[in-house]
Amino acid sequence: MERLAGGRVSPILLRPIREQVVHDRVIRLLQALYRRRRYAVGVNIGNSKETKVRVAEQELYPDLVLRSTEGVRRLHAVIEVETTESVNRLEAMAQWGRFAKARGAFFLYVPAGM
């Protein structure tokens, strides 16, 4: 199980390898897309914890973090990418609700039809 901030455990055990590859590919595509739109884009691919967001005294590690590049580097958006295995009620309660409380916008990418 994946550890979250505060020692909590994510409801997702492990994504199948095929889904993890697709998940990571989507993150890289979104990174390239938003970088062209003049955002500083931080990514967390796989188990990496390179970029974080603080929400209500917690450190969260979403898939992508967009910050403005002009003036103060304010948080613009938090982006989470999900696969068919990770779209469920437990994931919504464990992560999405906390990401939605960030100061910037929250974007959730899910497979079509989910």
Side-chain angles (χ1 to χ4, degrees), residues 2-112:
E2 181 182 343
R3 289 253 173 227
L4 298 175
R8 284 181 266 186
V9 177
S10 171
I12 298 176
L13 296 173
L14 286 173
R15 279 190 181 100
I17 293 172
R18 188 177 338 175
E19 284 198 14
Q20 187 65 45
V21 169
V22 171
H23 175 265
D24 295 347
R25 184 180 308 141
V26 171
I27 291 173
R28 287 186 184 98
L29 290 171
L30 290 171
Q31 179 184 24
L33 173 73
Y34 285 109
R35 202 175 266 159
R36 279 187 250 138
R37 293 185 181 175
R38 299 181 189 201
Y39 293 110
V41 182
V43 297
N44 293 309
I45 295 178
N47 291 330
S48 73
K49 292 188 176 182
E50 296 177 19
T51 187
K52 64 185 174 185
V53 174
R54 292 190 69 75
V55 176
E57 305 293 325
Q58 292 181 331
E59 290 181 349
L60 303 176
Y61 298 90
D63 292 327
L64 293 107
V65 176
L66 305 180
R67 298 190 187 280
S68 61
T69 56
E70 299 173 4
V72 179
R73 292 180 54 129
R74 289 189 179 156
L75 178 66
H76 178 74
V78 172
I79 300 174
E80 190 67 12
V81 176
E82 301 298 346
T83 60
T84 55
E85 289 288 321
S86 63
V87 176
N88 57 57
R89 183 175 174 80
L90 290 174
E91 186 71 10
M93 291 177 0
Q95 286 192 328
W96 306 342
R98 291 185 295 155
F99 289 143
K101 293 177 183 175
R103 290 187 179 212
F106 172 56
F107 297 110
L108 178 63
Y109 286 82
V110 297

